[in-house]
Amino acid sequence: MSPVPPHLSPPPPPPPRPARRLLAALASLLVATALVAPPSAARAADPLLSQGRPTTASSVENAGTAAANATDGNTGTRWSSAFSDPQWLQVDLGATATVSRVTLVWEAAYARAYQIQTSTDGATWTTIWSTTTGTGGTIDLTVSGTGRYVRMYGTARATGYGYSLWEFQVYGSTGGGTGCDTANNAALGRPATASSTQSAGFPATAALDGNLGTRWSSAASDPQWLRVDLGSVQTLCRVVLTWEPAYARAYQIQTSTDGTSWTTVYSTTTGPGGTETLTLTGSGRYVRVYGTVRATGYGYSLWEFAVNTTGGGGIPGGGPLGPNVITFDPSMSSATIQSQLDTVFHAQESNQFGTQRYALMFKPGDYSGINAQIGFYTSIMGLGRNPDDVRIHGDVTVDAGWFNGNATQNFWRSASNMEVFPSAGFTRWAVSQAAPFRRMDIQGNLNLAPNGYGWASGGYIADSRVTGTVQPYSQQQWFTRDSNVGGYQNAVWNMVQSGVAGAPATSFPNPPYTTLAQTPVSRDVPYLYLDASGNYQVFVPSTRTNASGASWLGGATPGTSVPLSQFYVARPSDSTATINAALAQGLNLLFTPGVYPVTQTITVNRPGTVVLGIGFPTLIPQNGVTAMSVADVDGVRLAGMLFDAGPVNSPVLLQVGPTGSTASHAANPTSIHDVFFRIGGAGAGKATTSLVVNQNDALIDHIWAWRADHGTGVGWTVNTADTGLIVNGNNVTALGLFVEHYQKYEVIWNGNNGRTIFFQNELPYDPPNAGAWMNGGMVGYAAFKVANTVTSFEGWGMGSYCYFNVDPTIAAYHGFEAPTAAGVRFHDLLTVSLGGSGSITHVINDTGATAQGTNTVPVYLVSYP
């Protein structure tokens, strides 16, 4: 079946710096300076460029003295290195800068000899200041140099300890150089619009795709224009026009900062056609060619419209989605579409731990006679504003032929935003964990079991409609929210519905339906769509309270649209520093399909930032870093990512809100959608905790945290992981938690006024014996622990299973652990022993019968206390 991890308690704070035992000769110096918060450094005339920027170091003393502490603007946190020479601290400014001042605020362990260096590439360094008689304290240096990267390079310590900086501040100005970058086309793949097109085969984007075999062509009238959005204000130095024979005799090149007011930077009335290379000067985010007189009786037609820039201009948003995003158009033949679908499926059908990732995207319209079989790491999605804009007259299918009809390992795939008219009257979606089914409109039945009715262990539906019945058959458990269904055919162990019109009433445990008429708070996942001009937008749905039914049945889903030009389109080859620079610049983030090594924490600090993945992008932290962190800000949305632990233990894979977060976000919570975690399986991996939620009011909307029970790098001492989820924030709501196989508590809930609707868990398979898995004097850790300090919590439809395949004699004490208090309530709990491999003595605390025996019969508890 499936696997997921457990954690005991929040990670402890980093140990304090050891008490100093310095030589007598240093004593008087340290009395004056040791461990005292530094004064604020003087501000420079030029702006501070380094604060919050990506920061790395040659080493850190411990997890509590990270490199980023020296550029966080907080004089109570610091970076501290290992106790050796040389050591360095480096900040990435995000763009080439003229550096005018550097301020160093040293802790007691300062540098006697060090240099300030700059670099354009992070590899070759130029020294712009140096000393061998450093005095420590606060040092304000007037310097002169240029570079994107600035570092302090220490060669001699003043103490027996490492180098330690409260703050490292770099002041200056950006603007870059003066040369014209003719090697890079700033317009390539950027969003484009035009006054008109001759037909659908000659769109505006065809002139910006780098393909001299495709072109834009306008209507046969004057004037006409073609416009490109560069994503940010750029300084222009050259434009290259590659005309088809229908060229412009008279035209202008114009720029704009807002797309409304235009400035002419080049004009001619004697255009020669062919390839025109135009040297010019101007700046703007938008650039257009504005034709006023045609040279022929046809329209204007360009094979390519290239723009070259100079100087700094920031990191542009938007751009191509990469080779593993395959887009289908209704004008394509069914045979062509089917061939491409089959090619991807054959590669991914059994590719459970491979590195290939795909997004299959369908433009609005009708498609007939296709069967889209969906394998591992594959997302199929419609590009309409609403599900019914993309109509599949055929099938979207997940089956388990690759695994002999057993669907319990059908992970990591998704379907979203399309209407399906299934060829046989039903759609088969036989999945287990990490396989979301969102914004789907099934005109018929939905079958959740594989062909032959082998086991399946899913699953999740949101914001969808099934006009027929949902047919679980052999599906063990399922969670559906905010949807419309024609009914349910059966239930196996645990079927939970929240805000589902047409769902059966609660009858747990016979049959085991748990139904909430409304979902107290919910929000659907952001998604890509094409607007009327054929440009990509990301739709950001609004928060719903007391929701029932799909958000789009009464009209378009409420929310806002954000153009793709406001997203940094990340590719697997991008450095983490570049991704952080784009976020710091104010861009949102779109991860395209692929595997991303994360060399430093991806930091999301801006309120309202959207971080969206398509095609299961996989983030793997390197050298034990935390892969991603979110500040204590409003309205961040994280969606569609897989965090895969690296070989060096990370304390946390994803942290939402810093430790001690206190702000209220009730009006605009941070939400986590379809975010998955994996410890081992694809390779050796270790992480103490997968997800820590410190923010108040956060919304968790479908996660699967899995400590692998099969694959590569699997073993009790190999893929080590304590806990899948720790919730420290108050008023946190979880809709659809799947957490499995961690080695201590799977979930720890420390916050008050929390809610969990649906929880599915398997305890770790592989404790070598009971003695290796003791929680004090108790055998085993509960799957879900509500902390003793919590006074209010409520949970519905929560199950934990055991399968101790190394030592089947293990008897875990209980599945759930919570304080006995009036405000702490559970509804519809169950425990199961799978085939009698081990047992669970109680359901919750000391209550409930023992789950045991080879018949795999659940033990149910309707309410607690």
Side-chain angles (χ1 to χ4, degrees), residues 26 32 88 106 175 266 287 328 357 360 405 427 476 479 492 529 612 614 634 645 676 699 746-747 788 820-821 828:
L26 296 173
W88 50 262
W106 291 103
Y266 176 89
V287 185
F328 302 106
R357 307 285 187 268
L360 309 175
T427 292
Q476 293 165 347
F479 177 54
V492 180
Y529 77 98
L612 173 62
I614 58 173
D634 274 354
F676 309 123
L699 175 62
E746 312 276 328
V747 173
N788 293 335
T820 302
D828 302 354

Side-chain angles (χ1 to χ4, degrees), residues 92 148-149 568 571-580 597 599-600:
D92 176 0
R148 172 175 173 168
Y149 304 89
Y568 179 69
R571 298 162 185 81
S573 59
D574 287 337
S575 70
T576 313
T578 298
I579 290 170
N580 271 328
T599 58
Q600 56 187 251

Side-chain angles (χ1 to χ4, degrees), residues 441-641:
D441 191 3
I442 304 301
Q443 298 296 309
N445 299 326
L446 181 62
N447 184 336
L448 304 179
N451 186 27
Y453 307 105
W455 287 115
S457 181
Y460 179 89
I461 297 172
D463 207 23
S464 295
R465 175 171 66 175
V466 178
T467 64
T469 59
V470 178
Q471 303 168 332
Y473 292 116
S474 56
Q475 183 66 248
Q476 293 165 347
Q477 68 275 315
W478 199 273
F479 177 54
T480 304
R481 72 153 181 85
D482 301 0
S483 295
N484 298 71
V485 300
Y488 275 76
Q489 179 167 303
N490 72 298
V492 180
W493 290 346
N494 188 29
M495 300 291 156
V496 179
Q497 296 77 222
S498 179
V500 179
T506 294
S507 55
F508 190 92
N510 187 27
Y513 292 122
T514 300
T515 299
L516 286 75
Q518 297 176 320
T519 304
V521 59
S522 59
R523 175 194 278 169
D524 211 50
V525 66
Y527 61 91
L528 274 174
Y529 77 98
L530 289 171
D531 64 19
S533 299
N535 293 317
Y536 284 112
Q537 303 268 351
V538 173
F539 190 76
V540 183
S542 299
T543 305
R544 304 176 73 187
T545 55
N546 300 320
S548 178
S551 67
W552 45 270
L553 281 177
T557 298
T560 57
S561 292
V562 181
L564 190 63
S565 59
Q566 294 182 23
F567 283 75
Y568 179 69
V569 178
R571 298 162 185 81
S573 59
D574 287 337
S575 70
T576 313
T578 298
I579 290 170
N580 271 328
L583 287 167
Q585 183 179 297
L587 291 171
N588 300 292
L589 182 58
L590 178 76
F591 284 106
T592 58
V595 177
Y596 294 75
V598 177
T599 58
Q600 56 187 251
T601 301
I602 297 172
T603 53
V604 182
N605 294 325
R606 181 177 61 84
T609 299
V610 177
V611 180
L612 173 62
I614 58 173
F616 290 86
T618 303
L619 281 58
I620 305 178
Q622 308 296 300
N623 302 317
V625 303
T626 294
M628 184 179 292
S629 67
V630 178
D632 194 16
V633 295
D634 274 354
V636 172
R637 306 191 190 213
L638 309 175
M641 293 170 284

Side-chain angles (χ1 to χ4, degrees), residues 715-780:
W716 186 250
T717 60
V718 179
N719 58 329
T720 55
D722 283 359
T723 300
L725 168 65
I726 298 176
V727 174
N728 295 318
N730 295 325
N731 312 310
V732 173
T733 297
L735 306 172
L737 292 184
F738 299 76
V739 184
E740 300 182 291
H741 306 167
Y742 288 80
Q743 295 174 292
K744 293 184 179 177
Y745 290 114
E746 312 276 328
V747 173
I748 300 173
W749 202 287
N750 294 315
N752 266 307
N753 200 31
R755 294 173 292 203
T756 294
I757 303 175
F758 185 86
F759 170 70
Q760 186 266 327
N761 163 261
E762 285 183 342
L763 297 172
Y765 287 0
D766 56 340
N769 51 62
W773 193 47
M774 297 296 293
N775 180 9
M778 186 182 300
V779 177

